[in-house]
Amino acid sequence: MNRLDEVAMVDPEVAGFMRAELNRERRKIELIASENFASMAVLQAAGSILTNKYAEGYPRHRWYGGCEYVDVVEETAIERAKALFGAEHANVQPHAGAQANMAVYFCALEPGESILAMEKAAGGHLTHGTEANMSGALYDAHFYGVNRETERLDYEEIAEIARKCKPRLIIAGASAYPRDIDFAAFRRIADEVSAILMVDMAHFAGLVAAGLHSDPVPHAEFVTTTTHKTLRGPRGGMVLCRSAFAEALDHAVFPGIQGGPLMHIIAAKAVAFREASLPSFKQYQQQVVRNARALATALQEKGLRLVSGGTETHLLLVDLTGQEVTGNEVATALDEVFITVNKNNIPFDDKPPSLTSGIRLGTPAVTTRGMKEAEMYEIADLISLVIKNLDSEEVMGRVRERVDELVSGFPLYPDL
Ligand code: DSN
């Protein structure tokens, strides 16, 4: 089903592009913090005949006939999500994290009401009230950042901002924050100003499932996530919430912002939740964190500065301001030597998002490939060589050879 034989027969052009992408994933060291490699079981479910079925509505209450099997698939995904995260209610239909977040806004807010979220420049997410996104257009967005000295969340400062702007909804969670988050502190702030608390745990959901990150579920009315980052499922979204909001939340997802759910993706989510409930998943997440710490230490030993001085999660932010290169230049150069990262603004960055003063690195994908601390030291050495020798074709050539050698020891999708 996933070997591309059929695609190749019908459409050699697209099969060629897909084969090229498979080779890229095999050939490069994948350090984008939000990416991972889904299992063959997840890929098979996502590439299955369940894509054929329309199932608008919810299990047992559909607008289409013939839903008896997709009903049990969706019920299974819901029950597994609830059990995995200890949640009272789960909606597994959001097509992505952006839709999961929008469903919560649609459920909890009236247009024009105020929200308080982490600013994108400090590590927050596009869908948390930025001007360019619907969340910024529809709601009155206010922001908190990180403390200039510690580069960590400053809960007293967040409380001060909340007292001033009196948000209806407070959003915790980030895309580029390397530290654990104190959700109990966010709960106290929300209670003080009578706000609803939403946590977007997309980046660290896998760590939460494994008990390696503070758990937002007991503290927040709504918890949103994607299913494809540390959680290692198919590309998709999900919302967890308290029972009191279940009906309104489901209504906000369908018919509020979506039509037919993607039943093949919901099946793949169910498979991923099963995988995430196994002891091997906890061991995987423990290695993700150990690898992130090893990569951080190794980069620091090479003289590179990390935002907040390190990491407690799966990701780290390298500050390039002392290196006289931009994040854009480094990310482009690393891509040329088969190491994939993304440029990223660092807190209080004076460069625009198109250039940036940082790069963001994450260990979920390389850990899925089987790499451990020794490989993190090798990768840190390669990254450091590139940063310090951007104009040297000779160094770039040597790094490329070492990347080839490194990835050859960690085969990816051998059955494809
Ligand atoms: N685009 C994701 C990331 O890279 O963090 C967030 O949605």
Side-chain angles (χ1 to χ4, degrees):
M1 195 172 290
N2 283 294
R3 295 183 66 87
L4 298 185
D5 308 358
E6 293 289 332
V7 184
M9 263 191 291
V10 173
D11 188 340
E13 197 181 4
V14 168
F17 300 148
M18 292 171 72
R19 179 63 60 189
E21 169 60 15
L22 175 61
N23 289 337
R24 188 196 66 81
E25 291 184 18
R26 284 176 172 157
R27 178 167 204 188
K28 295 191 173 183
I29 296 174
E30 181 55 73
L31 293 174
I32 291 180
S34 48
E35 293 190 12
N36 212 328
F37 302 118
S39 71
M40 287 301 295
V42 166
L43 293 186
Q44 278 190 2
S48 71
I49 50 90
L50 272 70
T51 192
N52 298 333
K53 190 70 198 93
Y54 248 122
E56 286 182 16
Y58 288 97
R60 319 287 161 181
H61 304 280
R62 304 283 191 185
W63 293 88
Y64 291 81
C67 286
E68 59 269 39
Y69 300 112
V70 291
D71 272 359
V72 287
V73 166
E74 185 166 347
E75 282 169 347
T76 303
I78 290 168
E79 290 311 314
R80 286 182 185 169
K82 285 162 62 181
L84 188 62
F85 292 104
E88 291 177 7
H89 179 71
N91 187 306
V92 296
Q93 292 193 4
H95 301 327
Q99 282 72 31
N101 290 346
M102 191 48 70
V104 173
Y105 306 150
F106 202 47
C107 168
L109 298 165
E110 294 298 329
E113 285 193 312
S114 59
I115 60 177
L116 173 60
M118 189 169 190
E119 64 184 336
K120 191 164 178 303
H125 191 253
L126 173 76
T127 59
H128 296 180
T130 59
E131 212 178 340
N133 184 256
M134 277 179 77
S135 55
L138 282 180
Y139 307 106
D140 175 24
H142 301 261
F143 299 99
Y144 56 84
V146 290
N147 180 282
R148 195 176 270 275
E149 295 302 312
T150 63
E151 297 176 313
R152 298 183 188 216
L153 292 171
D154 178 337
Y155 298 95
E156 198 33 61
E157 194 182 308
I158 298 168
E160 272 301 310
I161 299 169
R163 282 177 206 124
K164 282 192 190 122
C165 70
K166 300 211 179 314
R168 179 77 189 113
L169 179 79
I170 296 178
I171 303 167
S175 282
Y177 184 65
R179 298 290 171 175
D180 206 306
I181 298 174
D182 185 348
F183 299 116
F186 269 107
R187 177 75 264 162
R188 284 194 293 276
I189 297 167
D191 285 344
E192 187 188 328
V193 300
S194 301
I196 294 168
L197 178 61
M198 167 185 136
V199 175
D200 181 342
M201 65 168 181
H203 258 272
F204 46 87
L207 302 181
V208 172
L212 300 173
H213 189 287
S214 296
D215 182 358
V217 175
H219 302 290
E221 283 90 346
F222 298 95
V223 177
T224 62
T225 186
T226 53
T227 48
H228 49 272
K229 297 187 175 87
T230 46
L231 204 45
R232 206 167 57 178
R235 190 154 293 273
M238 171 167 77
V239 183
L240 308 172
C241 71
R242 296 193 178 156
S243 304
F245 296 96
E247 201 179 323
L249 187 268
D250 284 352
H251 195 71
V253 175
F254 173 84
I257 61 165
Q258 289 190 176
L262 309 177
M263 297 315 305
H264 52 307
I265 299 300
I266 290 176
K269 288 174 186 172
V271 173
F273 298 150
R274 174 165 168 69
E275 290 177 341
S277 70
L278 301 175
S280 54
F281 188 77
K282 181 164 184 164
Q283 286 156 15
Y284 159 66
Q285 296 294 349
Q286 285 167 333
Q287 191 63 48
V288 166
V289 173
R290 280 199 294 266
N291 281 353
R293 286 182 185 164
L295 187 57
T297 305
L299 289 166
Q300 285 170 322
E301 284 172 6
K302 296 283 169 197
L304 293 164
R305 194 186 89 80
L306 300 183
V307 169
S308 83
T311 178
E312 293 158 352
T313 65
H314 62 298
L315 72 81
L316 36 141
L317 272 178
V318 183
D319 174 2
L320 298 166
T321 45
Q323 309 296 321
E324 294 177 4
V325 288
T326 66
N328 188 43
E329 286 167 327
V330 170
T332 304
L334 286 170
D335 211 22
E336 281 165 14
V337 296
F338 309 143
I339 298 175
T340 317
V341 307
N342 64 279
K343 62 186 168 197
N344 215 103
N345 280 115
I346 57 170
F348 311 104
D349 205 331
D350 59 7
K351 294 201 170 57
S354 56
L355 295 178
T356 81
S357 300
I359 52 170
R360 187 185 66 165
L361 311 176
T363 54
V366 286
T367 308
T368 293
R369 252 185 121 147
M371 294 185 191
K372 294 205 164 72
E373 287 91 330
E375 287 74 37
M376 298 306 112
Y377 272 82
E378 168 74 351
I379 290 171
D381 192 34
L382 299 176
I383 291 173
S384 165
L385 275 171
V386 171
I387 291 174
K388 291 167 185 165
N389 298 277
L390 275 189
D391 298 325
S392 167
E393 255 318 305
E394 191 262 323
V395 172
M396 299 290 262
R398 269 197 286 130
V399 170
R400 223 174 270 130
E401 278 168 25
R402 281 171 64 184
V403 171
D404 276 345
E405 201 180 319
L406 180 59
V407 298
S408 68
F410 298 90
L412 181 65
Y413 296 129
D415 298 329
L416 286 181

